[in-house]
Amino acid sequence: MRYLVSVIDDKSNPGSTDRRPAISAFNERLIAGGYWVFSGGLADTDAATVVDNRGEQAVFSDGPFVESKEYLAGVWVWEAPDLDVVLKLAAEASKVCDRKIEVRPFL
């Protein structure tokens, strides 16, 4: 099963900024274990654009779809046999990233 693993940062209390080497090493372990499918960091929410084309004409709005002190800073997609494996990896990821992690299975 595949899981979306979201990295949550906090604008008022951000995680450490020197985590790249540790995250790269963690990614290598995920790849070696066959869990890693995709990962990527995201630009700050100031760079976001929301597109709403549910009406007569598309509306483009600068900024995130919701204002919050917490925001999505990056994502992984992992493949694992069950949620228990993913939660164990997510606990490691939270420590490595120095940020909160949200895990959601794909449908």
Side-chain angles (χ1 to χ4, degrees), residues 7-10 13-23 71 73 93-100:
V7 179
I8 311 298
D9 207 349
D10 185 328
N13 185 22
S16 302
T17 58
D18 61 347
R19 308 309 296 170
R20 274 192 198 266
I23 293 168
Y71 64 97
S94 178
K95 182 70 80 178
V96 167
C97 290
D98 192 29
R99 287 160 177 82
K100 292 195 283 186

Side-chain angles (χ1 to χ4, degrees), residues 8-69:
I8 311 298
D9 207 349
D10 185 328
K11 288 187 180 202
S12 63
N13 185 22
S16 302
T17 58
D18 61 347
R19 308 309 296 170
R20 274 192 198 266
I23 293 168
S24 293
F26 182 70
N27 281 337
E28 290 301 321
R29 288 186 21 238
L30 290 173
I31 291 166
Y35 303 113
W36 189 91
V37 176
F38 172 83
S39 67
L42 298 173
D44 190 78
T45 57
D46 294 342
T49 303
V50 176
V51 180
D52 185 353
N53 197 19
R54 296 176 292 171
E56 294 290 319
Q57 199 168 12
V59 176
F60 301 90
S61 304
D62 291 337
F65 70 96
V66 67
E67 293 289 334
S68 172
K69 68 178 188 140

